[in-house]
């Protein structure tokens, strides 16, 4: 890790002015302009994080990129807006020439992502979920700025209103913790929602599943029926979880579990259910990739 304590960083408002942009909310462009928040973000990476290659999704005008360059050996920044990419390549031309920064132009959902060792990103909120599902399986530490409700869903416990597909799937790959709420005024232009920073520390789950993709599809399917009992949710969503014999699953699972609602099952109970579904439900391989 490099020592960034004595460095002064580019001023976020000056970066916006130099880039000649205002931030387009329809394209998820809400630039972080609060220096104190910006300065804290890399500090939320666990202390033993390998910082040799940091990944930033949605680099904007580079206020966070600047901090990442001070914290890591190398940085890859992905940005979809060609105007911002051109600006980043000019603004950070020294770091690019020194082979410390790579700016990838493109949609973070499509571009090939590098084998980074950690990611710190102020995510585009409309794509937070899909981007996270690309990052989580990499099992690297993540620090992500997301919408506050989204953060609550990532870190939610069973039995709460926020607990759902996102909580189980995020929990499958790591431990999510909300480390800082961030108000609207920290951004320019201010988003219509509150934000929060979430730290995700990768870890192996305390349970086993027969197949990651099947488990995640199964969780997604069952949560589409979160107000139903587990029994009915399994029956009603066989077409989503690709089970050809859902009745065999219902017959194999204990009655107490079948009477619960999906939102009351812990990840470990979900895993046990998925194991039964995989064993007895004759899942097709179709749709699992
Ligand atoms: C919330 S802003 C963060 C900008 C900057 N990192 C900051 O903290 O000020 C999100 C950035 O992601 C970019 N963006 C939006 N959707 C994207 C996508 N699908 N792939 C890559 N970048 C995207 C936007 O153009 C914008 O610059």
């Amino acid at each position: 890790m490099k020592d960034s304590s004595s460095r002064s960083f580019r001023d976020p408002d000056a970066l916006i002015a130099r880039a000649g942009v205002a931030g387009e909310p329809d394209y998820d462009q809400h630039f972080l302009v609060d220096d104190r928040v910006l300065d804290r973000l890399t500090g939320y990476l666990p202390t033993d994080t390998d910082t040799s290659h940091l990944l930033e999704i949605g680099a904007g005008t580079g206020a966070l990129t600047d901090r990442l360059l001070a914290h890591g050996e190398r940085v890859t920044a992905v940005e979809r807006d060609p105007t911002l990419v051109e600006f980043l390549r000019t603004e950070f031309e020294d770091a690019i020439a020194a082979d410390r920064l790579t700016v990838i132009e493109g949609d973070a959902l499509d571009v090939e992502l590098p084998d980074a060792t950690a990611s710190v990103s102020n995510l585009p909120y409309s794509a937070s979920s899909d981007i996270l599902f690309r990052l989580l399986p990499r099992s690297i530490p993540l620090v992500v700025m997301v919408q506050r409700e989204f953060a609550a869903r990532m870190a939610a416990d069973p039995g709460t209103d926020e607990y759902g597909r996102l909580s189980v799937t995020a929990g499958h790959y790591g431990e999510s913790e909300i480390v800082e709420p961030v108000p609207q005024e920290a951004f320019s232009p201010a988003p219509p929602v509150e934000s929060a920073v979430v730290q995700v520390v990768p870890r192996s789950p305390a349970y086993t599943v027969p197949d990651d993709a099947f488990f995640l599809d199964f969780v997604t399917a069952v949560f589409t029926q979160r107000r139903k009992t587990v029994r009915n949710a399994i029956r009603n969503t066989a077409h989503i979880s690709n089970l050809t014999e859902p009745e065999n699953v219902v017959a194999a699972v204990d009655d107490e579990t079948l009477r619960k609602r999906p939102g009351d099952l812990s990840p470990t109970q979900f895993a046990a259910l998925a194991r039964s579904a995989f064993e007895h439900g004759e899942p097709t391989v179709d749709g699992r990739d």
Side-chain angles (χ1 to χ4, degrees):
M1 189 193 302
K2 304 184 71 166
D3 177 20
S4 55
S5 51
S6 57
R7 233 191 97 150
S8 64
F9 295 104
R10 289 165 168 85
D11 173 53
D13 294 305
L15 281 168
I16 294 171
R18 279 206 289 286
V21 295
E24 181 48 72
D26 286 349
Y27 294 102
D28 285 322
Q29 291 178 355
H30 300 281
F31 304 121
L32 199 44
V33 290
D34 186 325
D35 284 299
R36 293 158 304 176
V37 178
L38 280 161
D39 289 349
R40 284 194 287 267
L41 288 178
T42 53
Y44 292 128
L45 285 170
T47 43
D48 60 352
T49 300
D50 174 354
T51 55
S52 56
H53 190 172
L54 301 179
L55 172 65
E56 181 185 7
I57 304 292
T61 56
L64 179 55
T65 320
D66 201 23
R67 269 84 176 168
L68 298 191
L69 282 167
H71 196 75
E73 305 297 320
R74 277 175 62 213
V75 174
T76 295
V78 180
E79 174 54 56
R80 189 175 60 175
D81 184 329
T83 306
L84 293 173
V85 169
E86 200 185 322
F87 171 71
L88 289 165
R89 288 189 173 142
T90 309
E91 179 72 27
F92 293 94
E93 72 179 324
D94 291 353
I96 292 170
D99 238 4
R100 295 198 52 237
L101 174 65
T102 305
V103 180
I104 298 180
E105 176 177 346
D107 189 325
L109 299 176
D110 300 331
V111 298
E112 193 177 328
L113 297 176
D115 283 329
T117 55
S119 178
V120 182
S121 304
N122 175 13
L123 291 179
Y125 291 175
S126 67
S128 299
S129 177
D130 290 336
I131 292 173
L132 269 173
F133 288 123
R134 284 202 82 184
L135 295 179
L136 285 166
R138 294 172 170 255
S139 294
I140 54 173
L142 309 176
V143 173
V144 285
M145 177 87 71
V146 291
Q147 191 173 334
R148 203 171 292 178
E149 287 77 9
F150 187 92
R153 289 198 279 128
M154 282 179 77
D157 290 324
T160 61
D161 286 349
E162 292 80 16
Y163 182 72
R165 170 200 177 216
L166 184 62
S167 330
V168 180
T169 44
H172 185 64
Y173 294 107
E175 176 80 30
S176 295
E177 188 188 345
I178 299 177
V179 289
E180 178 170 346
V182 181
Q184 287 145 293
E185 312 81 73
F187 301 87
S188 174
V193 292
E194 303 279 318
S195 303
V197 182
V198 180
Q199 175 204 58
V200 185
V201 181
R203 57 147 171 71
S204 301
Y207 51 77
T208 57
V209 289
D211 176 283
D212 266 14
F214 175 78
F215 176 62
L216 299 176
D217 285 352
F218 181 74
V219 169
T220 301
V222 171
F223 268 118
T224 63
Q225 307 264 303
R226 62 178 300 140
R227 313 233 171 273
K228 300 273 188 331
T229 59
V230 168
R231 183 195 312 276
N232 286 337
I234 292 171
R235 285 179 171 150
N236 296 347
T237 62
H239 59 292
I240 309 174
S241 49
N242 297 307
L243 296 176
T244 52
E245 298 295 340
E247 284 309 321
N248 291 352
V249 182
V250 169
V253 173
D254 65 276
D255 217 46
E256 194 190 336
T257 303
L258 292 173
R259 277 202 305 267
K260 291 189 168 166
R261 313 267 164 206
D264 293 323
L265 294 183
S266 70
T268 302
Q269 290 170 314
F270 252 114
L273 197 59
R275 284 197 299 272
S276 293
F278 196 78
E279 193 183 335
H280 302 286
E282 299 190 20
T284 60
V285 253
D286 288 4
R288 271 206 249 159
D289 50 345

